[in-house]
Amino acid sequence: TQLLEQSPQFLSIQEGENLTVYCNSSSVFSSLQWYRQEPGEGPVLLVTVVTGGEVKKLKRLTFQFGDARKDSSLHITAAQPGDTGLYLCAANLNRKLIWGLGTSLAVNP
Amino acid sequence: DAGVTQSPTHLIKTRGQQVTLRCSPKSGHDTVSWYQQALGQGPQFIFQYYEEEERQRGNFPDRFSGHQFPNYSSELNVNALLLGDSALYLCASSFSGGVTEAFFGQGTRLTVV
């Protein structure tokens, strides 16, 4: 059973489009992180959300933590080819990071 | 400030052999976690070391073992390698005193033939 469900699993869009990626669970987490990973590299931390309802912005990326701290979303505005990669969410449960399977995003020029 | 460093970056081993992977955590971090990542999948937690002891373990067989040294660096050992052990092995460091944000190394690509 996957504790963190990410959707969609794959996404292929054109440059300039907007997109939203979801990370859902039935468990409550003390914090949740979003990472971006490029092929053959380790994941790079994008953001940590801690408070229910929290919204954080990182340039064209907007991250939201659900009010009940069970889910999160990542919205990208005007996607660029450089946004291509695997987006992973991870949540803090008993001092261990639980991972989603990731959303593989391809932004075509 | 050096980030997380892993060595080697690539490794090819024969089935049945043993392998040791190494990780130096980010400065100021005291906890090291190891993950196995198959192609197209999210990282799977192997185990975590804190204060030189294994604190948590994922669903991996005893062939996977580790060690943490007084300087917080860590090793991952895999015995009796199987073809299915081929993967990207990631080391993540974190600080035990705060929110568990993990910072990753670039990984070691292990290929078992």
Side-chain angles (χ1 to χ4, degrees), chain B residues 46-105:
Chain B
I46 303 175
F47 42 53
Q48 182 182 82
Y49 276 85
Y50 171 69
E51 292 188 339
E52 302 179 49
E53 290 189 356
E54 183 182 292
R55 181 161 68 176
Q56 290 190 350
R57 189 178 183 92
N59 188 26
F60 278 79
D62 292 344
R63 298 187 297 109
F64 290 77
S65 64
H67 189 77
Q68 186 179 34
F69 299 94
N71 66 354
Y72 307 118
S73 66
S74 177
E75 289 182 349
L76 163 65
N77 301 293
V78 187
N79 295 323
L81 284 167
L82 303 174
L83 297 180
D85 294 332
S86 296
L88 181 68
Y89 287 85
L90 295 164
C91 166
S93 75
S94 57
F95 176 58
S96 61
V99 172
T100 310
E101 293 179 332
F103 291 83
F104 286 83

Short mmCIF file of all heavy atoms in Angstrom, two decimals, chain B residues 46-105:
data_model
loop_
_atom_site.label_atom_id
_atom_site.label_comp_id
_atom_site.label_asym_id
_atom_site.label_seq_id
_atom_site.Cartn_x
_atom_site.Cartn_y
_atom_site.Cartn_z
N ILE B 46 15.88 2.30 2.70
CA ILE B 46 16.59 1.09 3.13
C ILE B 46 16.77 1.12 4.64
O ILE B 46 16.29 0.24 5.35
CB ILE B 46 17.96 0.96 2.44
CG1 ILE B 46 17.79 0.95 0.92
CG2 ILE B 46 18.68 -0.31 2.91
CD1 ILE B 46 19.11 0.95 0.16
N PHE B 47 17.50 2.10 5.14
CA PHE B 47 17.66 2.29 6.58
C PHE B 47 18.22 3.67 6.88
O PHE B 47 18.63 4.41 5.97
CB PHE B 47 18.53 1.22 7.24
CG PHE B 47 19.77 0.81 6.50
CD1 PHE B 47 20.72 1.74 6.08
CD2 PHE B 47 20.01 -0.52 6.23
CE1 PHE B 47 21.85 1.36 5.41
CE2 PHE B 47 21.16 -0.94 5.57
CZ PHE B 47 22.07 0.01 5.14
N GLN B 48 18.21 4.00 8.17
CA GLN B 48 18.68 5.30 8.63
C GLN B 48 19.64 5.10 9.80
O GLN B 48 19.39 4.27 10.68
CB GLN B 48 17.51 6.15 9.09
CG GLN B 48 17.87 7.55 9.54
CD GLN B 48 16.67 8.31 10.02
OE1 GLN B 48 16.22 8.16 11.16
NE2 GLN B 48 16.10 9.13 9.14
N TYR B 49 20.71 5.87 9.80
CA TYR B 49 21.70 5.80 10.87
C TYR B 49 21.77 7.13 11.61
O TYR B 49 21.78 8.22 11.01
CB TYR B 49 23.08 5.44 10.31
CG TYR B 49 23.24 3.95 10.15
CD1 TYR B 49 22.78 3.31 9.00
CD2 TYR B 49 23.79 3.18 11.16
CE1 TYR B 49 22.88 1.95 8.87
CE2 TYR B 49 23.91 1.81 11.03
CZ TYR B 49 23.45 1.20 9.88
OH TYR B 49 23.55 -0.16 9.75
N TYR B 50 21.81 7.00 12.91
CA TYR B 50 21.92 8.16 13.80
C TYR B 50 22.74 7.71 15.01
O TYR B 50 22.50 6.64 15.57
CB TYR B 50 20.54 8.64 14.22
CG TYR B 50 20.54 9.70 15.29
CD1 TYR B 50 21.01 10.98 15.03
CD2 TYR B 50 20.07 9.40 16.57
CE1 TYR B 50 21.02 11.95 16.02
CE2 TYR B 50 20.07 10.37 17.56
CZ TYR B 50 20.55 11.64 17.29
OH TYR B 50 20.56 12.60 18.26
N GLU B 51 23.69 8.52 15.42
CA GLU B 51 24.56 8.19 16.56
C GLU B 51 25.18 6.80 16.38
O GLU B 51 25.22 6.00 17.32
CB GLU B 51 23.80 8.30 17.88
CG GLU B 51 23.44 9.73 18.22
CD GLU B 51 22.87 9.88 19.63
OE1 GLU B 51 22.38 8.87 20.19
OE2 GLU B 51 22.90 11.00 20.15
N GLU B 52 25.60 6.52 15.16
CA GLU B 52 26.33 5.29 14.81
C GLU B 52 25.49 4.03 14.96
O GLU B 52 26.05 2.92 14.95
CB GLU B 52 27.62 5.17 15.64
CG GLU B 52 28.56 6.36 15.45
CD GLU B 52 29.82 6.23 16.29
OE1 GLU B 52 30.46 5.16 16.26
OE2 GLU B 52 30.16 7.21 16.98
N GLU B 53 24.18 4.19 15.04
CA GLU B 53 23.32 3.01 15.16
C GLU B 53 22.21 3.07 14.11
O GLU B 53 21.76 4.16 13.73
CB GLU B 53 22.71 2.92 16.55
CG GLU B 53 23.72 2.59 17.63
CD GLU B 53 23.05 2.28 18.96
OE1 GLU B 53 21.81 2.40 19.06
OE2 GLU B 53 23.78 1.91 19.89
N GLU B 54 21.77 1.91 13.69
CA GLU B 54 20.65 1.83 12.77
C GLU B 54 19.38 2.16 13.54
O GLU B 54 18.99 1.44 14.46
CB GLU B 54 20.56 0.43 12.16
CG GLU B 54 19.45 0.28 11.14
CD GLU B 54 19.35 -1.13 10.59
OE1 GLU B 54 20.28 -1.56 9.87
OE2 GLU B 54 18.36 -1.82 10.90
N ARG B 55 18.72 3.25 13.14
CA ARG B 55 17.57 3.71 13.90
C ARG B 55 16.26 3.20 13.30
O ARG B 55 15.31 2.90 14.02
CB ARG B 55 17.55 5.23 13.95
CG ARG B 55 16.39 5.80 14.76
CD ARG B 55 16.63 7.22 15.19
NE ARG B 55 16.63 8.16 14.09
CZ ARG B 55 16.74 9.47 14.26
NH1 ARG B 55 16.85 9.97 15.46
NH2 ARG B 55 16.75 10.28 13.22
N GLN B 56 16.22 3.12 12.00
CA GLN B 56 15.02 2.62 11.33
C GLN B 56 15.45 1.80 10.13
O GLN B 56 16.53 2.01 9.56
CB GLN B 56 14.13 3.77 10.85
CG GLN B 56 13.46 4.54 11.96
CD GLN B 56 12.42 5.51 11.43
OE1 GLN B 56 12.33 5.73 10.23
NE2 GLN B 56 11.62 6.07 12.31
N ARG B 57 14.58 0.88 9.73
CA ARG B 57 14.90 0.03 8.60
C ARG B 57 13.66 -0.18 7.76
O ARG B 57 12.56 -0.37 8.29
CB ARG B 57 15.43 -1.33 9.08
CG ARG B 57 15.98 -2.18 7.96
CD ARG B 57 16.54 -3.50 8.47
NE ARG B 57 17.14 -4.26 7.39
CZ ARG B 57 18.41 -4.21 7.03
NH1 ARG B 57 19.24 -3.44 7.71
NH2 ARG B 57 18.88 -4.92 6.03
N GLY B 58 13.85 -0.15 6.47
CA GLY B 58 12.76 -0.44 5.55
C GLY B 58 12.69 -1.93 5.28
O GLY B 58 13.33 -2.74 5.95
N ASN B 59 11.93 -2.29 4.26
CA ASN B 59 11.67 -3.69 3.96
C ASN B 59 12.76 -4.24 3.03
O ASN B 59 12.49 -4.59 1.88
CB ASN B 59 10.28 -3.83 3.34
CG ASN B 59 9.89 -5.28 3.18
OD1 ASN B 59 10.36 -6.14 3.91
ND2 ASN B 59 9.03 -5.55 2.22
N PHE B 60 13.96 -4.33 3.53
CA PHE B 60 15.08 -4.86 2.77
C PHE B 60 15.71 -6.03 3.53
O PHE B 60 15.74 -6.02 4.76
CB PHE B 60 16.13 -3.77 2.53
CG PHE B 60 15.79 -2.87 1.38
CD1 PHE B 60 14.87 -1.85 1.53
CD2 PHE B 60 16.37 -3.06 0.14
CE1 PHE B 60 14.53 -1.03 0.46
CE2 PHE B 60 16.05 -2.25 -0.94
CZ PHE B 60 15.13 -1.23 -0.77
N PRO B 61 16.22 -7.03 2.80
CA PRO B 61 16.79 -8.21 3.47
C PRO B 61 18.09 -7.88 4.19
O PRO B 61 18.68 -6.82 4.00
CB PRO B 61 17.03 -9.18 2.30
CG PRO B 61 17.17 -8.31 1.10
CD PRO B 61 16.25 -7.14 1.32
N ASP B 62 18.53 -8.84 5.00
CA ASP B 62 19.74 -8.67 5.80
C ASP B 62 21.00 -8.55 4.95
O ASP B 62 22.06 -8.20 5.47
CB ASP B 62 19.89 -9.84 6.77
CG ASP B 62 18.82 -9.83 7.84
OD1 ASP B 62 18.18 -8.78 8.00
OD2 ASP B 62 18.62 -10.87 8.49
N ARG B 63 20.88 -8.85 3.67
CA ARG B 63 22.04 -8.68 2.78
C ARG B 63 22.46 -7.21 2.72
O ARG B 63 23.59 -6.89 2.35
CB ARG B 63 21.71 -9.13 1.36
CG ARG B 63 21.36 -10.59 1.20
CD ARG B 63 21.20 -10.96 -0.27
NE ARG B 63 20.12 -10.25 -0.94
CZ ARG B 63 20.30 -9.30 -1.86
NH1 ARG B 63 21.52 -8.91 -2.21
NH2 ARG B 63 19.25 -8.71 -2.43
N PHE B 64 21.53 -6.35 3.06
CA PHE B 64 21.80 -4.91 3.10
C PHE B 64 22.17 -4.53 4.53
O PHE B 64 21.35 -4.72 5.46
CB PHE B 64 20.57 -4.12 2.65
CG PHE B 64 20.27 -4.25 1.18
CD1 PHE B 64 19.66 -5.39 0.68
CD2 PHE B 64 20.59 -3.22 0.31
CE1 PHE B 64 19.39 -5.51 -0.68
CE2 PHE B 64 20.31 -3.33 -1.05
CZ PHE B 64 19.71 -4.47 -1.53
N SER B 65 23.36 -4.03 4.71
CA SER B 65 23.79 -3.60 6.03
C SER B 65 24.51 -2.28 5.91
O SER B 65 24.89 -1.86 4.81
CB SER B 65 24.69 -4.65 6.68
OG SER B 65 25.88 -4.80 5.93
N GLY B 66 24.71 -1.65 7.05
CA GLY B 66 25.35 -0.34 6.99
C GLY B 66 26.17 -0.05 8.22
O GLY B 66 26.25 -0.85 9.15
N HIS B 67 26.73 1.13 8.18
CA HIS B 67 27.55 1.57 9.30
C HIS B 67 27.61 3.08 9.27
O HIS B 67 27.59 3.69 8.19
CB HIS B 67 28.96 0.98 9.17
CG HIS B 67 29.82 1.21 10.38
ND1 HIS B 67 29.68 0.46 11.52
CD2 HIS B 67 30.80 2.10 10.61
CE1 HIS B 67 30.55 0.89 12.42
NE2 HIS B 67 31.25 1.88 11.89
N GLN B 68 27.67 3.68 10.46
CA GLN B 68 27.91 5.12 10.54
C GLN B 68 29.13 5.35 11.43
O GLN B 68 29.27 4.73 12.49
CB GLN B 68 26.71 5.88 11.11
CG GLN B 68 26.90 7.41 11.07
CD GLN B 68 25.71 8.17 11.61
OE1 GLN B 68 25.05 7.72 12.54
NE2 GLN B 68 25.45 9.33 11.03
N PHE B 69 29.99 6.22 11.02
CA PHE B 69 31.24 6.50 11.72
C PHE B 69 31.08 7.73 12.62
O PHE B 69 30.13 8.50 12.48
CB PHE B 69 32.36 6.70 10.70
CG PHE B 69 32.59 5.49 9.84
CD1 PHE B 69 31.97 5.37 8.61
CD2 PHE B 69 33.40 4.45 10.27
CE1 PHE B 69 32.16 4.24 7.81
CE2 PHE B 69 33.61 3.33 9.49
CZ PHE B 69 32.97 3.22 8.27
N PRO B 70 32.03 7.91 13.55
CA PRO B 70 31.92 9.06 14.47
C PRO B 70 31.84 10.41 13.76
O PRO B 70 31.29 11.37 14.32
CB PRO B 70 33.20 8.95 15.31
CG PRO B 70 33.51 7.49 15.31
CD PRO B 70 33.13 7.00 13.95
N ASN B 71 32.37 10.51 12.56
CA ASN B 71 32.28 11.79 11.83
C ASN B 71 30.98 11.90 11.03
O ASN B 71 30.84 12.80 10.20
CB ASN B 71 33.49 11.96 10.91
CG ASN B 71 33.51 10.94 9.78
OD1 ASN B 71 32.69 10.02 9.73
ND2 ASN B 71 34.45 11.11 8.86
N TYR B 72 30.04 11.00 11.28
CA TYR B 72 28.70 10.94 10.68
C TYR B 72 28.68 10.38 9.27
O TYR B 72 27.59 10.15 8.74
CB TYR B 72 28.00 12.31 10.68
CG TYR B 72 27.95 12.97 12.04
CD1 TYR B 72 28.58 14.19 12.27
CD2 TYR B 72 27.30 12.34 13.09
CE1 TYR B 72 28.55 14.78 13.52
CE2 TYR B 72 27.26 12.93 14.35
CZ TYR B 72 27.89 14.15 14.56
OH TYR B 72 27.86 14.73 15.80
N SER B 73 29.83 10.11 8.66
CA SER B 73 29.81 9.49 7.35
C SER B 73 29.27 8.07 7.48
O SER B 73 29.20 7.51 8.59
CB SER B 73 31.20 9.48 6.73
OG SER B 73 32.07 8.64 7.47
N SER B 74 28.89 7.50 6.36
CA SER B 74 28.20 6.21 6.42
C SER B 74 28.58 5.34 5.24
O SER B 74 29.05 5.82 4.20
CB SER B 74 26.68 6.44 6.41
OG SER B 74 25.97 5.22 6.39
N GLU B 75 28.43 4.03 5.43
CA GLU B 75 28.62 3.05 4.37
C GLU B 75 27.37 2.19 4.24
O GLU B 75 26.70 1.90 5.24
CB GLU B 75 29.81 2.14 4.68
CG GLU B 75 31.16 2.80 4.57
CD GLU B 75 32.30 1.83 4.84
OE1 GLU B 75 32.04 0.71 5.32
OE2 GLU B 75 33.45 2.22 4.59
N LEU B 76 27.12 1.79 3.02
CA LEU B 76 26.07 0.81 2.73
C LEU B 76 26.76 -0.40 2.12
O LEU B 76 27.51 -0.26 1.16
CB LEU B 76 25.05 1.38 1.75
CG LEU B 76 24.12 0.38 1.04
CD1 LEU B 76 23.21 -0.30 2.04
CD2 LEU B 76 23.30 1.09 -0.03
N ASN B 77 26.54 -1.55 2.71
CA ASN B 77 27.10 -2.80 2.20
C ASN B 77 25.98 -3.70 1.69
O ASN B 77 24.94 -3.84 2.35
CB ASN B 77 27.86 -3.54 3.31
CG ASN B 77 28.98 -2.71 3.89
OD1 ASN B 77 29.96 -2.43 3.22
ND2 ASN B 77 28.82 -2.30 5.13
N VAL B 78 26.22 -4.29 0.55
CA VAL B 78 25.26 -5.26 0.02
C VAL B 78 26.04 -6.53 -0.30
O VAL B 78 27.01 -6.51 -1.07
CB VAL B 78 24.53 -4.76 -1.24
CG1 VAL B 78 23.44 -5.75 -1.64
CG2 VAL B 78 23.94 -3.38 -1.02
N ASN B 79 25.63 -7.63 0.31
CA ASN B 79 26.26 -8.92 0.07
C ASN B 79 25.46 -9.75 -0.93
O ASN B 79 24.27 -9.52 -1.13
CB ASN B 79 26.35 -9.70 1.39
CG ASN B 79 27.25 -9.04 2.39
OD1 ASN B 79 28.29 -8.48 2.02
ND2 ASN B 79 26.87 -9.08 3.65
N ALA B 80 26.13 -10.74 -1.50
CA ALA B 80 25.47 -11.71 -2.39
C ALA B 80 24.57 -10.99 -3.39
O ALA B 80 23.36 -11.22 -3.46
CB ALA B 80 24.67 -12.71 -1.57
N LEU B 81 25.18 -10.12 -4.17
CA LEU B 81 24.42 -9.28 -5.10
C LEU B 81 23.56 -10.09 -6.06
O LEU B 81 23.98 -11.13 -6.58
CB LEU B 81 25.39 -8.40 -5.89
CG LEU B 81 25.98 -7.20 -5.13
CD1 LEU B 81 27.15 -6.61 -5.90
CD2 LEU B 81 24.91 -6.16 -4.86
N LEU B 82 22.36 -9.55 -6.27
CA LEU B 82 21.42 -10.12 -7.24
C LEU B 82 21.25 -9.13 -8.39
O LEU B 82 21.49 -7.93 -8.23
CB LEU B 82 20.06 -10.37 -6.58
CG LEU B 82 20.05 -11.27 -5.34
CD1 LEU B 82 18.67 -11.29 -4.73
CD2 LEU B 82 20.51 -12.67 -5.71
N LEU B 83 20.80 -9.65 -9.52
CA LEU B 83 20.56 -8.76 -10.66
C LEU B 83 19.58 -7.65 -10.28
O LEU B 83 19.72 -6.51 -10.72
CB LEU B 83 20.02 -9.55 -11.84
CG LEU B 83 20.95 -10.61 -12.43
CD1 LEU B 83 20.27 -11.32 -13.60
CD2 LEU B 83 22.27 -10.02 -12.87
N GLY B 84 18.60 -7.99 -9.44
CA GLY B 84 17.59 -7.03 -9.03
C GLY B 84 18.09 -5.93 -8.11
O GLY B 84 17.35 -4.99 -7.81
N ASP B 85 19.35 -6.04 -7.68
CA ASP B 85 19.92 -4.98 -6.85
C ASP B 85 20.42 -3.82 -7.70
O ASP B 85 20.82 -2.79 -7.16
CB ASP B 85 21.09 -5.54 -6.01
CG ASP B 85 20.63 -6.57 -4.99
OD1 ASP B 85 19.48 -6.50 -4.53
OD2 ASP B 85 21.46 -7.47 -4.66
N SER B 86 20.41 -3.98 -9.00
CA SER B 86 20.81 -2.89 -9.89
C SER B 86 19.86 -1.72 -9.72
O SER B 86 18.64 -1.86 -9.87
CB SER B 86 20.79 -3.36 -11.34
OG SER B 86 21.72 -4.38 -11.57
N ALA B 87 20.42 -0.57 -9.38
CA ALA B 87 19.59 0.60 -9.09
C ALA B 87 20.49 1.79 -8.83
O ALA B 87 21.72 1.67 -8.77
CB ALA B 87 18.70 0.35 -7.87
N LEU B 88 19.85 2.94 -8.63
CA LEU B 88 20.55 4.13 -8.15
C LEU B 88 20.43 4.14 -6.63
O LEU B 88 19.32 4.08 -6.09
CB LEU B 88 19.93 5.40 -8.74
CG LEU B 88 20.56 6.74 -8.34
CD1 LEU B 88 21.97 6.88 -8.93
CD2 LEU B 88 19.69 7.90 -8.80
N TYR B 89 21.54 4.16 -5.93
CA TYR B 89 21.53 4.19 -4.48
C TYR B 89 21.81 5.61 -4.02
O TYR B 89 22.85 6.20 -4.34
CB TYR B 89 22.55 3.20 -3.92
CG TYR B 89 22.07 1.78 -4.09
CD1 TYR B 89 22.31 1.10 -5.29
CD2 TYR B 89 21.34 1.14 -3.10
CE1 TYR B 89 21.82 -0.18 -5.49
CE2 TYR B 89 20.87 -0.15 -3.28
CZ TYR B 89 21.11 -0.80 -4.48
OH TYR B 89 20.62 -2.07 -4.67
N LEU B 90 20.87 6.12 -3.27
CA LEU B 90 20.94 7.51 -2.82
C LEU B 90 21.19 7.59 -1.33
O LEU B 90 20.62 6.83 -0.55
CB LEU B 90 19.62 8.22 -3.14
CG LEU B 90 19.28 8.37 -4.62
CD1 LEU B 90 17.82 8.71 -4.80
CD2 LEU B 90 20.16 9.44 -5.25
N CYS B 91 22.03 8.53 -0.97
CA CYS B 91 22.29 8.82 0.43
C CYS B 91 21.69 10.19 0.71
O CYS B 91 21.84 11.13 -0.09
CB CYS B 91 23.79 8.81 0.68
SG CYS B 91 24.28 9.54 2.25
N ALA B 92 21.00 10.31 1.81
CA ALA B 92 20.42 11.60 2.21
C ALA B 92 20.85 11.91 3.63
O ALA B 92 20.84 11.04 4.49
CB ALA B 92 18.90 11.55 2.13
N SER B 93 21.24 13.15 3.86
CA SER B 93 21.58 13.54 5.22
C SER B 93 20.56 14.54 5.74
O SER B 93 19.92 15.26 4.98
CB SER B 93 23.00 14.11 5.29
OG SER B 93 23.07 15.43 4.76
N SER B 94 20.41 14.56 7.04
CA SER B 94 19.48 15.47 7.68
C SER B 94 19.97 15.75 9.09
O SER B 94 20.87 15.08 9.60
CB SER B 94 18.06 14.89 7.70
OG SER B 94 18.04 13.64 8.35
N PHE B 95 19.32 16.73 9.71
CA PHE B 95 19.65 17.07 11.08
C PHE B 95 18.53 16.59 11.98
O PHE B 95 17.36 16.87 11.73
CB PHE B 95 19.84 18.58 11.21
CG PHE B 95 20.09 19.05 12.62
CD1 PHE B 95 21.17 18.56 13.34
CD2 PHE B 95 19.24 19.96 13.22
CE1 PHE B 95 21.40 18.98 14.64
CE2 PHE B 95 19.45 20.39 14.52
CZ PHE B 95 20.54 19.89 15.24
N SER B 96 18.89 15.88 13.03
CA SER B 96 17.88 15.24 13.87
C SER B 96 17.06 16.23 14.67
O SER B 96 15.99 15.93 15.16
CB SER B 96 18.56 14.25 14.82
OG SER B 96 19.46 14.93 15.66
N GLY B 97 17.59 17.45 14.81
CA GLY B 97 16.94 18.40 15.71
C GLY B 97 15.84 19.23 15.10
O GLY B 97 15.27 20.06 15.77
N GLY B 98 15.55 19.05 13.83
CA GLY B 98 14.54 19.90 13.22
C GLY B 98 13.63 19.13 12.29
O GLY B 98 13.53 17.91 12.37
N VAL B 99 12.93 19.85 11.42
CA VAL B 99 12.09 19.21 10.41
C VAL B 99 12.98 18.31 9.56
O VAL B 99 14.08 18.68 9.19
CB VAL B 99 11.41 20.27 9.54
CG1 VAL B 99 10.69 19.64 8.37
CG2 VAL B 99 10.45 21.10 10.39
N THR B 100 12.48 17.13 9.25
CA THR B 100 13.32 16.16 8.53
C THR B 100 13.40 16.47 7.05
O THR B 100 12.76 15.84 6.24
CB THR B 100 12.78 14.74 8.75
OG1 THR B 100 12.57 14.54 10.14
CG2 THR B 100 13.77 13.70 8.25
N GLU B 101 14.16 17.52 6.72
CA GLU B 101 14.44 17.80 5.32
C GLU B 101 15.67 17.01 4.94
O GLU B 101 16.69 17.06 5.62
CB GLU B 101 14.71 19.29 5.12
CG GLU B 101 13.51 20.18 5.35
CD GLU B 101 13.84 21.64 5.15
OE1 GLU B 101 15.01 22.00 5.36
OE2 GLU B 101 12.96 22.40 4.79
N ALA B 102 15.58 16.31 3.85
CA ALA B 102 16.69 15.49 3.41
C ALA B 102 17.41 16.16 2.25
O ALA B 102 16.78 16.70 1.34
CB ALA B 102 16.18 14.11 2.97
N PHE B 103 18.72 16.13 2.32
CA PHE B 103 19.55 16.63 1.22
C PHE B 103 20.31 15.43 0.66
O PHE B 103 20.96 14.69 1.39
CB PHE B 103 20.51 17.70 1.73
CG PHE B 103 19.79 18.96 2.12
CD1 PHE B 103 19.22 19.09 3.37
CD2 PHE B 103 19.68 20.01 1.23
CE1 PHE B 103 18.54 20.24 3.73
CE2 PHE B 103 19.01 21.17 1.58
CZ PHE B 103 18.44 21.28 2.84
N PHE B 104 20.22 15.28 -0.64
CA PHE B 104 20.71 14.07 -1.28
C PHE B 104 22.05 14.28 -1.97
O PHE B 104 22.35 15.38 -2.47
CB PHE B 104 19.72 13.59 -2.34
CG PHE B 104 18.50 12.95 -1.77
CD1 PHE B 104 17.42 13.72 -1.34
CD2 PHE B 104 18.41 11.57 -1.65
CE1 PHE B 104 16.30 13.13 -0.79
CE2 PHE B 104 17.29 10.98 -1.12
CZ PHE B 104 16.23 11.76 -0.69
N GLY B 105 22.81 13.20 -2.02
CA GLY B 105 23.97 13.15 -2.89
C GLY B 105 23.53 12.86 -4.31
O GLY B 105 22.34 12.69 -4.60
#
